[in-house]
């Protein structure tokens, strides 16, 4: 089963623009994580935000979490062609393995 | 860290054949996970181990699937009597001790299975 649902499914932008993708989930969580996947490769962990946090930054990444709305957003600033990938949110709950959403495919053109 | 290693990277098999995949986690990572990912979807959880104990199995893991981690190090995932619907990327991930379930995972590059 998939708990998170990303929006939009696909996003195309120009280099230098910001990219925003959203994730909604259904049940209470301990944390929410974002992963990146390049075509045909494994997933790479980007950032983890805990349920008692509202915002977190890592380099060009900014993640927000609104537990009242059960939603999160990932902002990538000043996008580069190398950011082209699929991005997945994953929810962490006590006692269970991470559950992933269906992902957002980001295409950054130069 | 040498990273999570999976072998083979690609496997093509005929329907009805058995296949086995191997995963070597990052050394000293005590938790090991198997996920399956089909085109355009996110990874779906199959099973996980803490050391050599298999602690959780998804209902996606039919009787044709079996996973082992005999010495708490590498793991194997076997699919018996493969079906075309088994075609997918099989991903292995690990996490270190001291982290709970549902924490950051380190993924391998996956094994892409094609069943003809």
């Amino acid at each position: 089963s998939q708990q998170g649902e990303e929006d939009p499914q696909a996003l195309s932008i120009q280099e230098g623009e910001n990219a925003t993708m959203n994730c909604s989930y259904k049940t209470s969580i301990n944390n929410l994580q974002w992963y990146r996947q390049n075509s045909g490769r494994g997933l790479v962990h980007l950032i983890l935000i805990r349920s008692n946090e509202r915002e977190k930054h890592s380099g060009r990444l900014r993640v927000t979490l609104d537990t009242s709305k059960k939603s999160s957003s990932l902002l990538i600033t000043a996008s580069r062609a190398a950011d082209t990938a699929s991005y997945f949110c994953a929810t962490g709950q006590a006692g269970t393995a991470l559950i992933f959403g269906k992902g957002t495919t980001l295409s950054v053109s130069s | 860290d040498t990273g999570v290693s999976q072998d083979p990277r690609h496997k093509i098999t005929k329907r009805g054949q058995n296949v086995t995949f191997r995963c070597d986690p990052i050394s000293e990572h005590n938790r090991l996970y198997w996920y399956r990912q089909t085109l355009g979807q996110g990874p779906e959880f199959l099973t996980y181990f803490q050391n050599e104990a298999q602690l959780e199995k998804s209902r996606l893991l039919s009787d044709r699937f079996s996973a082992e981690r005999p010495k708490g190090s590498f793991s194997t995932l076997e699919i018996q009597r493969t079906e075309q619907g088994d075609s997918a990327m099989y991903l292995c991930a690990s996490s270190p001790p001291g982290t709970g379930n549902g924490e950051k995972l380190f993924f391998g590059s996956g094994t892409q299975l094609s069943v003809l």
Side-chain angles (χ1 to χ4, degrees):
Chain A
S1 62
Q2 295 188 298
Q3 147 103 296
E5 187 148 335
E6 290 89 341
D7 172 63
Q9 285 189 318
L11 181 61
S12 293
I13 59 173
Q14 299 284 321
E15 259 192 332
E17 294 181 337
N18 296 341
T20 300
M21 48 204 90
N22 303 297
C23 171
S24 59
Y25 57 93
K26 298 173 185 173
T27 61
S28 62
I29 59 173
N30 284 349
N31 66 71
L32 188 141
Q33 303 176 38
W34 287 90
Y35 288 78
R36 184 187 73 221
Q37 184 179 36
N38 291 88
S39 180
R41 308 295 294 182
L43 283 78
V44 175
H45 181 267
L46 295 176
I47 195 164
L48 180 154
I49 186 165
R50 301 207 177 271
S51 60
N52 61 353
E53 298 176 310
R54 291 297 167 258
E55 188 170 315
K56 205 161 184 179
H57 296 254
S58 177
R60 294 184 296 114
L61 305 181
R62 172 179 167 251
V63 169
T64 61
L65 179 64
D66 187 335
T67 53
S68 67
K69 295 181 179 178
K70 291 187 171 57
S71 68
S72 173
S73 67
L74 172 67
L75 169 68
I76 304 173
T77 59
S79 295
R80 307 165 181 168
D83 294 327
T84 295
S86 292
Y87 292 81
F88 296 91
C89 69
T91 51
Q93 302 164 284
T96 66
L98 282 184
I99 302 174
F100 288 82
K102 294 185 179 182
T104 292
T105 299
L106 173 65
S107 177
V108 182
S109 53
S110 53
Chain B
D1 287 339
T2 57
V4 178
S5 177
Q6 292 190 245
D7 184 69
R9 286 281 287 124
H10 303 274
K11 179 70 176 179
I12 300 174
T13 191
K14 294 182 179 179
R15 190 177 53 186
Q17 298 292 305
N18 299 343
V19 294
T20 300
F21 311 139
R22 176 179 170 127
C23 172
D24 287 87
I26 294 171
S27 60
E28 298 178 358
H29 278 197
N30 64 335
R31 290 176 186 255
L32 185 148
Y33 300 78
W34 286 99
Y35 282 82
R36 181 174 69 186
Q37 185 180 26
T38 53
L39 199 61
Q41 301 293 314
E44 293 180 298
F45 170 72
L46 293 178
T47 188
Y48 94 91
F49 294 83
Q50 179 166 306
N51 300 313
E52 65 275 8
Q54 189 173 19
L55 296 187
E56 188 178 352
K57 291 195 294 185
S58 163
R59 62 180 181 275
L60 292 175
L61 212 66
S62 75
D63 291 346
R64 296 184 298 105
F65 287 69
S66 62
E68 294 183 343
R69 194 183 183 199
K71 295 183 180 178
S73 56
F74 72 91
S75 175
T76 58
L77 178 67
E78 180 183 18
I79 309 174
Q80 296 182 326
R81 305 181 303 281
T82 52
E83 301 172 356
Q84 288 184 326
D86 297 331
S87 295
M89 173 81 86
Y90 290 84
L91 294 162
C92 176
S94 67
S95 64
T99 60
N101 206 3
E103 295 287 329
K104 174 182 175 181
L105 295 181
F106 297 77
F107 279 86
S109 294
T111 294
Q112 182 66 53
L113 173 66
S114 297
V115 181
L116 305 178

